[in-house]
Every structure is written in structure tokens, then in C-alpha cells.
Amino acid sequence: MTMRDTFHRTIDYLRISVTDRCDLRCKYCMPETGVEPLTHGDILSYEEILRLAKCFARLGIRRIKITGGEPLVRLYVIDLIGQLKKIPGIEQVTLTTNGTHLAKYIWALDKLHIDGINISLDTLNPVLYKEITGRDVFAKVFSGLQEALKYPAIKLKINCVPQGLSGQDMAAVAGLAKDHPVHVRFIEMMPIGLGKEFPLIRESDVRQELEQTYGALQPFHENLGNGPCRYYSIPGFQGKIGFISAMSHKFCSNCNRVRLTADGKLKTCLQYDRGMDLKALLRAGRPDHEVELAILQALESKPGEHHFTETFVVDQEKKSMFQIGG
Ligand code: SAM
Ligand code: SF4
């Protein structure tokens, strides 16, 4: 089956957040204090996630990304990933992580043939890394990346959110794609949660910085992932340089995704608090066909595009990114 929304977009990609907890406190994502985490009973159990994933797969979801909070802080998440990979119809299961626990789990992720890992790394400067994330763990994250590089079957991408900080050094981050077979993607800050307080560093600003160091970026037209990233080549680089620019280049017309939050809400757009409480349906004992119908009904509320640049928006999402999963 193919799932289409009211704008005829094919929806085949699901981001599943497995927790709202995180061991970092990236300034643009999660406040240092005042966060009341969801309780164990609030979040979907692995059995519930698997049941929903099977419903989604029957409807047409083909690729799943595991996210959070920090997904690797939830106990036995590796087992969940292994189970998701076995669901008929699911072609890819990938993970996005801050990398703090990667060194420990990478062998297991390789063993279950994970289809890709995105590592969030905003700078290679350890002092600034601590300032951005609130934790002095750059060395741990970097050794996680080094460890992951020992597994050539795993496709690695680095995600970096430019913040205009002196010393963040986008060219150095991009240089990871020169020295290693990884793609480095620069993600424009979106005005969601704490991200609203941050300046927007545009794709064009980053490109200028990179071109000063490496020369002209050459458009690369092959599709390297599930999403809206546009890639460029730099001669001599092993990996590509990508840009995910929700603010500079709206990509909503090609949106292929929905999101499942850790507490079981189906979200149809990042910006809007619209969707469906699927956990409530599961816990009310509803059968799969009713859950699937509810998913299709929720899809009808998927908007045609975001309106991040408008000041007043009805149904605006009030959650922060760590509660949504990026
Ligand atoms: N903890 C994991 C990680 O950091 O990769 C997964 C969850 S995190 C919310 C997913 C991604 O969202 C990270 O790459 C993070 O940098 C990005 N992110 C968080 N807030 C953002 C914002 N306001 N705009 C753009 N990206 C954001
Ligand atoms: Fe945690 Fe990821 Fe948010 Fe940073 S971006 S606080 S690592 S959830």
C-alpha cells in the first residue's frame, strides 16, 4: 500500500522518538533545568512501538529513523532496532544520536545491519562543544565517531547546526568529509522551542565560509538519504557536504514524513501541534485496523507547508526539539 496525504505527497518515512531524556543539554534544544521528563508509564513500551510500526508498515511506511532525546540512553534500544528491522515492508532503519554512547554500541548496531547513523556534532572545538552542549564530553563523542569509522558497512553522516559562534569553525567540521568517508550536513536552525532564541545562520553564510577554505562547491544530484538534504562535492573529499535549509529553501512540497513522539502522539508536521494520540488508542484496547484508520485520518491534517516565518500561527507546536525528535 502507498500512503498519500491530501497534497498527494507519498508518506513513507517515520521518525520514532524513543525517549525525551538526554545526557546533553544543547542550548538550542533542551533547557538545563526545569525539564520534567516523561515517566516510564507515559512513554510507549517497546511492544507498543513495534505494534505501531507494524501498522505503519502495512500503510506504506518503508523507512524508520530512531531518535529522541538521546535514543541510546534508553535501555535495550538496540533490541528494539533489531526487531524493527525484521518488520515486513520496512526497508531501512537508521539512528540519529549525539554519539556519547556510540563507542559502546557500535558493534551491536553493525551486527544487526543498521542502515545508517547520523551523529550530531556542532563543532570540533572541545571547549565550545562543552559550551553548546553543557557537558564536557567532546572526547567521548569523537572516540564514538572514530569507533564507528571502523565499520565500513555503516553509512555515517555528521549533522551540524551552525550557530554563528566564534570558533565553531564550519570548515573544520566539513573537513571530516575530507578525511573520512562521511557526509557532513549543515542544518539551519529552526524556530522551534529554544531554537527561537537563536540567530538564523543561513546556508549561504556557511557556503561562503566553506568556499573560502575549499573552493567552489559542486552540486551533486544523487539522492543520499530520506530527506530534503541537497548535497555538494568538493574535489578531494571522500564524503559530500549537505545542507538542510528549512528556512532558506522550503522543502515542504516534497515532505515524505510523519513523526511518532515518545509518548505516542503521531505528529504530521514539525511546526504544528496536530496529529493523533495513538497511545490512547492502544491502551483503550483498539484493534490494529482502527489504529490504522486513525493514522490515515490524522494524515488528513498534515499541512501543505510550514509557516516558520509568520509571527502568529494557529496550532503552533509548543514542544521543544528534544520532545519531538528533530
Ligand atoms: N539526541 C539526538 C541527536 O542529537 O542527534 C537525536 C535528537 S536531536 C533533537 C535531533 C537533531 O535535531 C540534532 O541533530 C539537533 O542538532 C537537531 N536540532 C535540535 N533543535 C533544533 C533546531 N531548533 N533547529 C534545527 N535542528 C535542531
Ligand atoms: Fe540532546 Fe540531541 Fe537535543 Fe542535544 S540536540 S539536547 S543531544 S536531544
Side-chain angles (χ1 to χ4, degrees), residues 29 191-194 196 267 270-274 313-324:
C29 179
I192 291 186
L194 294 172
K196 285 186 193 135
K267 258 184 81 60
L270 250 188
Q271 192 191 9
Y272 292 91
D273 182 14
R274 290 183 199 168
V313 176
V314 185
D315 293 349
Q316 176 114 317
E317 178 58 86
K318 286 167 207 68
K319 289 197 186 82
S320 286
M321 212 60 127
F322 72 94
Q323 295 161 313
I324 301 171

Side-chain angles (χ1 to χ4, degrees), residues 15 17 19 21-24 26 28-30 66-72 95-99 118-122 158-161 163 185 187-196 198 244 246 270 320-326:
R15 295 177 69 96
S17 172
T19 181
R21 295 177 193 226
C22 187
D23 51 347
L24 300 187
C26 301
Y28 54 86
C29 179
M30 190 168 182
I66 297 299
T67 179
E70 173 46 40
L72 294 181
L95 170 76
T96 181
T97 173
N98 62 27
N118 295 353
I119 304 171
S120 298
L121 189 54
D122 289 343
I158 305 294
N159 284 342
C160 171
V161 180
Q163 292 148 63
R185 294 123 47 98
I187 304 176
E188 279 185 349
M189 183 78 75
M190 286 180 273
I192 291 186
L194 294 172
K196 285 186 193 135
F198 281 74
I244 302 177
L270 250 188
S320 286
M321 212 60 127
F322 72 94
Q323 295 161 313
I324 301 171

Side-chain angles (χ1 to χ4, degrees), residues 96-108:
T96 181
T97 173
N98 62 27
T100 55
H101 294 271
L102 201 51
K104 189 166 56 192
Y105 289 125
I106 191 72
W107 68 271

